[in-house]
Amino acid sequence: MVNEKDIHIILVEDNPGDALIIQEMLKEIYDDKFDLHRFQRVDEGLKHLNEDFDIMLLDLNLPDSQGIETFNTMNKNAPELPIIILTGLIDEDLAINIVSEGAQDYLVKGQIDKQLLSRSIKYSIERKRIEIDLRNSEEKYRLMVEKIESGLFLINSKNEISYVNRQMADMLGYSMDDLINQDVFNFIQKKCKDVFKKHLKVNNRGIGQTYEIQFLNKNGSPLWVLMSTSPLHKLTGEYIGAISIMTDITARKGMEKSIMDAMIEKDKDFFFIMGNMVEAVKPLIQKEYVEDFQDKFT
């Protein structure tokens, strides 16, 4: 949470009357226990972005920059600083556009009171903090998925592959792009299709059970894998797809089961990723997929 007794604010506003109104509201909100730095131009504000600010209040129309370009310039140079837009125009399309570009809020001058400003600052700082934490977490999981030796893929409700990591593509002898939007059953040995279908129907909330299944790679050779599948459902129970992770056990199939089990037990990457399957795949799902899968991820 924001420490309201020690908040540092940068205000980029060229209109002295508007700046005074904002300053007076801040005094009422923070009882003078805040640090406000005001600049009238973008180039002036840019010189001070390396200072430790908690929030930026930004007028879009300044002497040296106009409209969304004003925000883009500031956001590019201070991507981790939450920015609240101040404007004299009621432009819903611009508001939607600029928030989608990364602004935390969009406030119209003349409609701002201290309660609205206080709430906007508080939640903008909190949202940005969560956004940064999430981005760092997503990068960690992305690197984890990319570095593991196991294959990983996501299918939608039509059994089409919507994400595949490089390891799985290499196992099957295809490029990653070759596999996207393909029916996963095109790559599964006919006699094993019912096994995979069975694991798609299990409405489990934890780690899917491991099982053996045979794929066919590009040249038609069999590929035996140890796989775990976690079906994904909305809270309503509607099936929306599944995440699977697999490790190649083709070379182990000729071994005694006890020896093979011992080797698999040592495959720490495989079981570690299985335990974090949903979290690991989350940042890799395309934006339009997040809405469908959000019930599973939250």
Side-chain angles (χ1 to χ4, degrees):
M1 297 295 291
V2 180
N3 182 354
E4 296 186 349
K5 294 183 178 180
D6 189 23
I7 186 168
H8 302 279
I9 302 169
I10 177 172
L11 171 63
V12 187
E13 169 63 75
D14 65 322
N15 185 306
D18 291 336
L20 180 60
I21 291 172
I22 292 296
Q23 184 174 4
E24 291 303 314
M25 288 184 188
L26 292 173
K27 287 181 180 179
E28 294 185 43
I29 295 169
Y30 299 110
D31 193 25
D32 285 329
K33 296 178 180 178
F34 66 97
D35 184 24
L36 178 67
H37 294 256
R38 180 203 164 200
F39 305 100
Q40 300 184 49
R41 300 168 55 92
V42 167
D43 57 5
E44 293 174 354
L46 290 174
K47 296 176 183 178
H48 296 268
L49 289 182
N50 60 338
E51 299 176 22
D52 188 22
F53 291 111
D54 296 301
I55 189 86
M56 175 185 288
L57 306 178
L58 177 65
D59 182 13
L60 285 183
N61 297 312
L62 298 168
D64 58 341
S65 183
Q66 299 288 309
I68 196 170
E69 185 60 32
T70 305
F71 166 76
N72 288 337
T73 299
M74 289 299 194
N75 191 48
K76 179 181 178 181
N77 286 275
E80 297 192 354
L81 180 65
I83 299 176
I84 297 174
I85 300 301
L86 304 176
T87 179
L89 300 175
I90 303 176
D91 187 334
E92 185 175 349
D93 290 338
L94 176 61
I96 293 172
N97 189 21
I98 207 164
V99 169
S100 69
E101 289 290 324
Q104 294 299 317
D105 207 347
Y106 181 98
L107 302 180
V108 178
K109 298 175 185 178
Q111 298 183 5
I112 307 172
D113 57 26
K114 68 176 183 180
Q115 287 82 13
L116 177 60
L117 182 61
S118 175
R119 185 167 62 250
S120 180
I121 291 174
K122 176 181 178 181
Y123 287 116
S124 293
I125 293 175
E126 187 69 9
R127 278 196 305 269
K128 192 67 175 183
R129 182 190 64 78
I130 294 172
E131 182 182 305
I132 292 171
D133 288 346
L134 178 60
R135 186 168 64 245
N136 292 338
S137 175
E138 289 176 348
E139 181 62 21
K140 176 184 69 175
Y141 284 124
R142 184 183 298 275
L143 291 173
M144 183 172 66
V145 169
E146 290 175 351
K147 289 182 178 180
I148 62 170
E149 295 182 2
S150 300
L152 185 147
F153 65 94
L154 169 71
I155 60 173
N156 62 21
S157 60
K158 298 178 182 179
N159 299 321
E160 297 167 337
I161 299 172
S162 52
Y163 171 78
V164 57
N165 70 349
R166 186 174 301 280
Q167 288 75 6
M168 178 182 171
D170 289 345
M171 286 181 192
L172 296 178
Y174 294 91
S175 71
M176 296 166 69
D177 289 340
D178 286 339
L179 295 173
I180 297 299
N181 297 325
Q182 295 294 317
D183 189 324
V184 69
F185 286 99
N186 291 340
F187 308 98
I188 297 176
Q189 182 71 269
K190 185 176 180 179
K191 63 182 180 181
C192 295
K193 290 182 178 181
D194 287 342
V195 177
F196 184 56
K197 289 178 182 178
K198 174 184 175 181
H199 286 269
L200 293 180
K201 295 179 180 179
V202 180
N203 192 2
N204 61 295
R205 289 290 178 178
I207 302 171
Q209 292 185 343
T210 58
Y211 58 99
E212 294 180 14
I213 194 172
Q214 191 179 63
F215 280 75
L216 291 175
N217 62 26
K218 190 174 183 179
N219 64 19
S221 301
L223 173 71
W224 278 102
V225 301
L226 183 70
M227 193 150 82
S228 175
T229 298
S230 290
L232 304 177
H233 299 82
K234 289 187 175 181
L235 293 178
T236 59
E238 178 186 354
Y239 171 74
I240 53 176
I243 298 170
S244 293
I245 185 169
M246 62 190 199
T247 190
D248 185 353
I249 60 170
T250 304
R252 303 175 185 176
K253 285 297 289 182
M255 299 179 183
E256 291 292 333
K257 187 177 185 302
S258 58
I259 298 176
M260 189 174 76
D261 288 345
M263 292 183 68
I264 292 172
E265 182 67 26
K266 293 181 180 180
D267 195 345
K268 296 184 184 298
D269 278 345
F270 179 68
F271 286 99
F272 177 68
I273 296 301
M274 281 199 303
N276 294 277
M277 190 178 299
V278 173
E279 289 82 359
V281 126
K282 177 180 177 181
L284 305 172
I285 296 175
Q286 297 174 351
K287 184 177 181 181
E288 60 266 25
Y289 251 81
V290 173
E291 294 180 1
D292 286 339
F293 282 81
Q294 63 185 353
D295 292 333
K296 179 68 175 180
F297 293 146
T298 55

